[in-house]
Amino acid sequence: MGIGSWAGLWFLWSIPLIVLMYLLKRKFIDTPVSSHLLWRRVLENTEANRPWQKLRHRLLMWLQLLVAALLIFALLRPFLWTEHGTGGNVVVVADVSASMSAVYHSDSEAQNSTASVTRLDEMKRQILNDTAQSTGMTLLKMGGTPEVIVSSSDDTEAWKSGVEQLQPSFGSTSYLEALSLASAVAKQQEDARIIVYTDGQWDESVEDLGIDVPIEVRRISAGNYRNASVQQFGVEGNRAVGVVANTGDESMEVTVELSEDGRSTETRTVQLPAGKRETVSFEQIDEAEVYRLSLTGAADDYSIDDNAFAFPESDADVHVLWISKGNLFLEKALRLSRAEVTRLDVSGNASDSSENKSGQASDQASDLPLPEKQPDIVIIEGQVPSALQSDKWASVLNKAAIWRIGGAENTQQPANRRVELRSHPLTRYLALEEPYFGALTEGEPTGLQTVMSIDNQPAIAAGTEQGRRSLWFGFNLENGDLPLNSEFPVLINNAVNWLSGGRGGGLGRAVPGALVEIPIAAGAESANWRPLQGYAFEHQNDAEPNADAVSVSQKGLALNSSQAAPSVPGLYAFEQQGSGLEAAPVYLLDVSADLSESVSPSSENPLLELVSTEQGTDGSTLRTGSSEDFRNQLPLTVPIVVVIIAIMLTEWGVYRRGRSI
C-alpha cells in the first residue's frame, strides 16, 4: 500500500480535540432519592469530576473518533499496489539493442554469480507479467529497424509468442524512429499509452522528439556493470597494436590474447581501472592472413565486444601498368605506395620504372605487346588508345582494376573551388581544400559513385565495373597544381590500396547491417557470408555447421556489389559460387557490434529530455523509474467514503436511542 499525499496528517489535531470536548463536558443526573442515600451523591460528584471516567460508555464519541480518523486517512489519498496488469490499450516498445544481451544482475544477486540470465530475458519476463490484464496489446521491437511484432492483439498466446521470439540486434539502434512509430500507433488506439522497456544505454538525443501520448520508461538494469572491451586493433608490418578499455563500474584484471590464423601466440595481463583504457602492442609477429585480439580471464557481463580482428596490408608488390606519356610526380607517388610500375608510352616508347626490369617494349602504338605479368592495376592517363580495344588486350584489362585519369574532350571550369568529400577509403586522411584541379569532365561515368565533387561537379568517382574495381579522375593532372600538394602522395596511396584490394583479403571492420563494397567476380551467380571465428562461429548450429551461412542480396540475376554485413558479430568470409567459376577471391570481414553499446548504463533516464516537467507535451503524464515503480495504483478513497457513510448512519441510530449519555 502507498500514500498519495502526506499533507492530510495536519488534520490529526481533530482527534484530540474531540476527546478534549468530551473531557470538558460536565453532566449530572438529577434523580430523587431517599435521604439516607445522600452520602452516595458525594461519591457521584467525585466520580463525575474524574476526567477519564467521562469517557466510559461513550459509544457516540468512539464513532465520531473513528469517522475523524477515516477522514484523515482519506485525505492522505491511500492506494494499493497491484502486482499484475497495465490495463487498457498498451504499446510496448522493447529495446533489443546489443547491450540487452549483457548479463542481468538482480539487486539480491552477487556480482560474481554465474547466472546466464540476460537483460533481454529479464525484459521478456517483466513484459509478460506486466501485461497479464491488458487488452489491445501492441509489441514494437526497437532495433536496427523498428518493427511491429504484434498489433492490437487480445490473443494471449500470440502475445506470449511474440515476446518470446525477441532477439538482440547488434547493429545501430533506431531509437527515435521506434518512438515515433510507437507514438503514431498509440494515437490510433483509444486511451492507449506507451511503455518503453530499456536498459538506458542510448546514444541518441530525444530532445526534439514530440510524444503526445502517455509514456512510461521501465529500466532493465540493476547491480554493478563489469565489462572490458577491445575498442581498436590493427596490424602494420610485424607489429600489432590494440586498445582495450574498461567500460564498467569497477576495476578489472583482464588477459589480452593475440592469435594468428586461429593459433594463440602471445598473452598479456592488464589491470584496468573503471573508465580507463590501455594500449597493448605486440612486436615481431608472424605473417598471417588474419589476426585476432581477445579478452579472457575476468568475468564479463557483455562478451560481444571481447574480440576484434585485423588484416595485414599485403607486402607483395602491386603490379601497375601505366599507359601515359609520363608524369614525374605521379611516378614518384606510385613508387612511394610500393607499386611495381611499368609505364607504356603509346607514342612508341616503353619504359619500365620498377627496380626489377620487366623487359617490356613496344615499337608501334598500333601493335602494343601484352605485358609479361598480368597487371593488378591499369592506369590510363589521357585518351584511351585504340590498340587497347583489341581482343588480346581486353582479356588483360578484364582481369585488372582500371584507373582512368582525364582525357575527356568536354570539360567545364567549376564556378568555385568548394570541395566536398564523401566517406570512402580513397578520401581517408584528406581534405583537398587547397589544390587547384583545373577544368572538370562534364557528367559522371555510368555505374560509379562520386566520392569527391567540386562545386557540385563530380571530380573523383569509384565503384565496380564487370566484377573489377574502377576509379575515375575527371581532371588532367597537368592542368592543376594537385601533384604539387602535400596530400597528393596520400591520395595516390589510398587509390593504389583500394584498387589492389580487389584481389581478395580483408575488407576491414563494419557494424552489422552496414553496406560493404565488394568486388563481384565475373561469373558469380551466388554468394554467402560464412562465419569463421568469434561470436557468430562459436554460437552457430553444431548439428548443421553451414546452417548459419548468410546469403547475400542480388540485383536482378547478378550479385549486388553493395552487401549488408551479417547481423551477428564475428569474422566472416565472403564466398562466391558460379558455374565455371574457379578460385574466386575470398574476402574477410570483421563484424563488430556498435561500440556505444559497451558503455555502462546511464543513471539518467533516456526519455527525460522529452518534457521539462512531469507533464507531456499535451499534458499527458510521463512516468520514469525502475520496473518496480510502475505497478498499478488502486485508490482506496471511495471505499473509505463508503465506510464513513455507514458509520454516520450507525451514529444517528445511537444518538436517537439516547446512548450518548
Side-chain angles (χ1 to χ4, degrees), residues 38-119:
L38 293 177
W39 62 273
R40 295 182 62 183
R41 184 178 294 268
V42 177
L43 296 177
E44 290 177 355
N45 289 338
T46 303
E47 292 291 334
N49 288 318
R50 291 180 181 179
W52 299 111
Q53 294 298 325
K54 298 178 181 180
L55 303 182
R56 298 174 60 185
H57 308 295
R58 300 288 187 180
L59 179 59
L60 185 61
M61 181 196 69
W62 293 113
L63 291 176
Q64 291 173 349
L65 290 176
L66 180 58
V67 170
L70 290 175
L71 284 173
I72 294 171
F73 189 53
L75 291 174
L76 296 178
R77 290 186 293 175
F79 57 85
L80 290 177
W81 289 112
T82 58
E83 294 296 332
H84 300 289
T86 55
N89 294 325
V90 177
V91 178
V92 174
V93 180
D95 182 2
V96 294
S97 58
S99 60
M100 293 297 290
S101 63
V103 176
Y104 175 80
H105 296 286
S106 63
D107 295 333
S108 59
E109 185 181 18
Q111 183 63 35
N112 58 358
S113 172
T114 58
S116 58
V117 176
T118 65
R119 296 176 187 172

Side-chain angles (χ1 to χ4, degrees), residues 203 411 502 518 589:
D203 61 350
T411 60
I518 305 175
L589 178 66

Side-chain angles (χ1 to χ4, degrees), residues 290-357:
V290 59
Y291 299 87
R292 175 179 180 176
L293 194 68
S294 55
L295 302 181
T296 59
D300 198 324
D301 294 340
Y302 182 68
S303 60
I304 305 299
D305 58 0
D306 289 352
N307 297 279
F309 300 90
F311 315 103
E313 294 184 1
S314 177
D315 291 332
D317 291 335
V318 178
H319 299 285
V320 175
L321 177 60
W322 178 26
I323 302 175
S324 169
K325 295 180 180 181
N327 186 314
L328 179 61
F329 296 99
L330 179 57
E331 182 178 341
K332 294 294 185 182
L334 289 172
R335 284 185 176 181
L336 290 175
S337 64
R338 295 180 299 181
E340 182 179 335
V341 182
T342 299
R343 182 173 65 86
L344 181 62
D345 189 346
V346 294
S347 62
N349 298 322
S351 173
D352 189 349
S353 60
S354 62
E355 295 181 0
N356 298 323
K357 302 297 183 178

Side-chain angles (χ1 to χ4, degrees), residues 581-622:
L581 181 63
E582 298 180 0
V586 176
Y587 301 97
L588 304 178
L589 178 66
D590 176 18
V591 180
S592 59
D594 192 346
L595 283 178
S596 62
E597 301 291 339
S598 302
V599 300
S600 178
S602 172
S603 59
E604 297 182 357
N605 197 292
L607 290 184
L608 287 181
E609 298 178 3
L610 283 177
V611 292
S612 57
T613 63
E614 290 298 323
Q615 299 296 320
T617 56
D618 65 340
S620 59
T621 303
L622 173 73

Side-chain angles (χ1 to χ4, degrees), residues 124 139 141 147 149-150 160-168:
K124 294 179 183 179
L139 178 62
K141 182 178 69 173
E147 180 182 356
I149 305 299
V150 181
K160 182 178 179 181
S161 175
V163 173
E164 292 294 343
Q165 74 177 18
L166 292 175
Q167 296 296 327

